[in-house]
Amino acid sequence: MLRLIANRLGLGLITLFGVSVLIFIGTEVLPGDVATAILGQSATPEAVEAIRRSLHLHDPAIVRYGRWLWNLVQGDLGASLANGRPIAQQIGPRLANTFFLAGYAAVIAVPLSIAFGIIAAMRQNGYFDRITNTATLITISMPEFFVGYVLIILLSVKLGWFPSLSMVTYKMGFGQRLFVTAMPAITLVLVVMAYMMRMTRASVVAAMSSPYVEMAILKGLPQWRIVVQHALPNAWAPIINVVALNLAYLVVGVIVVEVVFVYPGVGQLMVDAVSKRDVPVVQACGLIFASTFVGLNMLADLFAILSNPRLRHPR
């Protein structure tokens, strides 16, 4: 088992190294000049040249990439080009806000989607199954920003239940924070529930058609016992994988939702940094998103293997 974990950790680190190369190349090919973007179009050539020298922009790209990667390994994310503040100080509170919103949505979405998926599988082709399938197809078909704007019109403008903007501060209490972030949380829940519910239903339905489940049915066992004791243990692996993928999406795919609701998370910070051409902040945000995605997928892989003995001992 330790060898398996070490293997997965090694693959994760190799993946992160590849992602760091892609992020650096992506920020290198952005149009425009960083020094001119910082000082503005009215800056003198001398001032622009001084900024280029201070940022080491004349060094070869591979030298700057090596310096950036070495600083990252040492835990130094650098300083923002826009305000000169350390990036770690800016990202820390924003990352906490993003994790809070992702956790808020996950606490609602994961148990509901698994429960609804199991019920839909137990009542296959019934009214509940058809209604949930139709509802999930509708939510899958709509992009996040559209769902967010529809919720703003219905729940904020028409009914006045929730604020349309999710501005949070560190002075807010836990209850007030839950209230203010309810709209983006509902948006994320509607987006991710559909995938998890449909995968849960499909996995349980596939397990229910197995010979050992048919034998349990012939023995006269109650349906709930057949599902819990016989179908679910063999359906957990794909369910865990899709849950982990959607949890990763709640963190790395939240950019659009944060912009729609003006929520002060890492996604909003990254969009602001791109508009100001603050390259070090963009690189740091991109690497945090990649690390979260790779880490959650690695955990899902390990939990799926632990939940199914056949995956631990492949032929």
Side-chain angles (χ1 to χ4, degrees):
M1 191 63 196
L2 289 176
R3 184 179 177 184
L4 182 67
I5 294 173
N7 186 27
R8 292 296 188 275
L9 283 174
L11 289 175
L13 290 175
I14 293 172
T15 305
L16 282 179
F17 174 73
V19 170
S20 72
V21 173
L22 292 177
I23 289 173
F24 189 82
I25 293 174
T27 52
E28 281 291 304
V29 299
L30 283 176
D33 181 69
V34 175
T36 306
I38 295 172
L39 296 176
Q41 295 296 330
S42 59
T44 62
E46 292 78 11
V48 172
E49 181 62 22
I51 285 289
R52 284 178 180 160
R53 289 183 181 279
S54 66
L55 297 177
H56 306 287
L57 294 181
H58 292 302
D59 293 345
I62 190 166
V63 174
R64 284 182 283 125
Y65 171 74
R67 188 184 298 125
W68 175 64
L69 190 63
W70 177 246
N71 290 333
L72 281 177
V73 171
Q74 294 178 313
D76 181 12
L77 296 177
S80 166
L81 298 180
N83 52 31
R85 291 175 55 199
I87 295 173
Q89 291 183 7
Q90 297 183 58
I91 286 186
R94 298 293 192 112
L95 190 61
N97 288 339
T98 296
F99 282 149
F100 176 83
L101 181 59
Y104 188 3
V107 166
I108 300 172
V110 173
L112 275 182
S113 54
I114 292 177
F116 283 1
I118 292 173
I119 295 172
M122 292 172 67
R123 300 180 180 176
Q124 192 178 1
N125 298 325
Y127 286 114
F128 183 85
D129 186 25
R130 293 175 183 176
I131 291 171
T132 52
N133 271 328
T134 304
T136 53
L137 278 176
I138 292 172
T139 55
I140 286 175
S141 306
M142 292 189 293
E144 301 94 319
F145 72 89
F146 182 74
V147 176
Y149 285 129
V150 168
L151 289 177
I152 289 175
I153 293 172
L154 290 178
L155 303 182
S156 182
V157 177
K158 298 291 184 185
L159 300 174
W161 289 352
F162 300 105
S164 58
L165 301 181
S166 299
M167 297 297 295
V168 296
T169 64
Y170 68 93
K171 295 180 180 178
M172 281 184 174
F174 184 70
Q176 188 180 5
R177 187 176 281 252
L178 287 178
F179 174 72
V180 170
T181 56
M183 294 271 280
I186 294 171
T187 304
L188 290 172
V189 167
L190 291 176
V191 172
V192 301
M193 258 192 71
Y195 295 102
M196 292 188 287
M197 203 215 81
R198 292 177 71 84
M199 178 54 75
T200 303
R201 177 190 177 279
S203 301
V204 174
V205 166
M208 293 286 282
S209 61
S210 304
Y212 58 87
V213 172
E214 292 178 1
M215 176 59 69
I217 295 172
L218 291 174
K219 288 169 67 177
L221 294 178
Q223 191 179 23
W224 67 266
R225 191 174 167 186
I226 294 172
V227 171
V228 173
Q229 291 189 351
H230 298 279
L232 265 182
N234 289 282
W236 274 126
I239 294 174
I240 289 172
N241 275 312
V242 76
V243 167
L245 281 174
N246 281 278
L247 290 180
Y249 172 80
L250 287 176
V251 178
V252 305
V254 75
I255 297 174
V256 175
V257 176
E258 287 185 354
V259 171
V260 168
F261 292 98
V262 198
Y263 183 72
V266 177
Q268 180 73 53
L269 177 66
M270 188 174 183
V271 172
D272 293 341
V274 170
S275 65
K276 297 174 184 173
R277 201 177 165 78
D278 197 345
V279 174
V281 175
V282 175
Q283 291 172 334
C285 291
L287 203 60
I288 287 173
F289 285 147
S291 304
T292 306
F293 195 84
V294 171
L296 285 174
N297 276 281
M298 197 166 58
L299 284 177
D301 200 12
L302 291 174
F303 282 129
I305 292 172
L306 286 173
S307 67
N308 193 336
R310 288 179 297 181
L311 296 177
R312 291 200 296 271
H313 306 287
R315 292 181 180 177

